[in-house]
Amino acid sequence: MKTTAKLLGAALMLPLLASVGLPPKAAQAQSLLEGDLSFELGRNREKSRNFKHIATSMGRTFDSGYGVQLDLAIGKYENVTSTNPAAALHLYYAPDDTWALGGFILGEDQRPGNYVYLGLEAAYETGPLSVEGYAAHRNDRAAAFNGDRYGMEVAYAPDTWSGFGLFGGAHSENDLPAGEKSIAYLGTDYRFDNNTEVALQVGRSDLKHTVASVRYQINFGPGSKFTRRHGQGVFDGY
């Protein structure tokens, strides 16, 4: 686990290193990078449990329209041993700036359970509106708890709101060791001129738990093509 954490920590530093002190050739390469680096703190009120979460996405859309994105994440819930490491690879096709269609493979450690997800996804963006959805099949690598995870997210941020935006979404998963789980959430964010943003989010789970979090995010280029699919990313303090 220590080795995994060190490798993940090094990978999480790559976007930061790419954004400062670059010579001209390196700066040109960085301009081709699409992604983000986010830091999140939150609390599940009913469990009286705090959590923290660090994640990054790095990708590239080529002139042909085909693209690739890598996600890495690590998090921690109070009184839970696992650090919830996760990694995902997305391959997609974006015929224009509006649509992107792709597939992904995701591996994550949820303790209990080491899972692999294979999924399909689509993203649509026009003007201030963006919509994204996915569906994935889960394979339990140590037992027979196979199932499905699926979800949808919507964001709206018109220019007339001077950097403010609204977003919301819902995710669900079935046939887990503890049964099914789902969550729905709403939030607001503010984007600064330096391509960073801060977001506040409040969610409600099927267990009637209220989860609130604050996130600071650094965006690179236009940001990541797809949002992250790992458990702590989508269920956020469940």
Side-chain angles (χ1 to χ4, degrees), residues 17-222:
L17 294 175
S19 63
V20 296
L22 292 174
K25 289 185 178 180
Q28 182 179 4
Q30 190 272 338
S31 68
L32 301 175
L33 180 68
E34 303 171 359
D36 60 69
L37 174 64
S38 66
F39 306 87
E40 181 183 33
L41 294 174
R43 180 174 177 82
N44 183 318
R45 189 180 67 178
E46 280 68 28
K47 285 186 176 181
S48 297
R49 177 182 293 170
N50 300 322
F51 64 90
K52 50 195 173 184
H53 182 217
I54 303 173
T56 187
S57 295
M58 297 170 283
R60 167 85 184 275
T61 303
F62 300 95
D63 293 338
S64 62
Y66 290 97
V68 60
Q69 177 180 312
L70 174 66
D71 303 335
L72 298 171
I74 193 166
K76 180 68 176 177
Y77 297 99
E78 287 183 348
N79 304 318
V80 178
T81 302
S82 175
T83 50
N84 301 95
L89 178 67
H90 306 252
L91 299 175
Y92 61 87
Y93 177 63
D96 54 41
D97 293 334
T98 303
W99 281 98
L101 304 171
F104 65 92
I105 180 170
L106 162 67
E108 63 175 297
D109 177 3
Q110 292 188 26
R111 298 287 177 93
N114 292 297
Y115 301 122
V116 172
Y117 293 79
L118 293 172
L120 299 175
E121 56 194 351
Y124 175 75
E125 182 175 357
T126 177
L129 178 68
S130 61
V131 182
E132 186 175 345
Y134 71 93
H137 177 72
R138 181 186 73 253
N139 177 253
D140 190 330
R141 305 307 297 168
F145 291 102
N146 300 325
D148 302 291
R149 175 183 292 173
Y150 46 91
M152 184 175 183
E153 297 184 325
V154 179
Y156 184 69
D159 293 338
T160 54
W161 287 6
S162 303
F164 285 97
L166 295 174
F167 63 90
H171 305 272
S172 184
E173 188 160 351
N174 55 37
D175 298 326
L176 288 161
E180 299 184 0
K181 65 180 181 181
S182 62
I183 194 169
Y185 55 88
L186 292 172
T188 183
D189 56 16
Y190 180 78
R191 301 197 175 198
F192 299 93
D193 292 337
N194 61 356
N195 217 21
T196 65
E197 63 183 88
V198 62
L200 299 174
Q201 177 179 312
V202 177
R204 187 75 169 171
S205 77
D206 62 311
L207 299 177
K208 298 183 180 180
H209 290 181
T210 299
V211 181
S213 66
V214 59
R215 183 183 75 247
Y216 177 72
Q217 182 166 300
I218 305 167
N219 297 310
F220 304 97

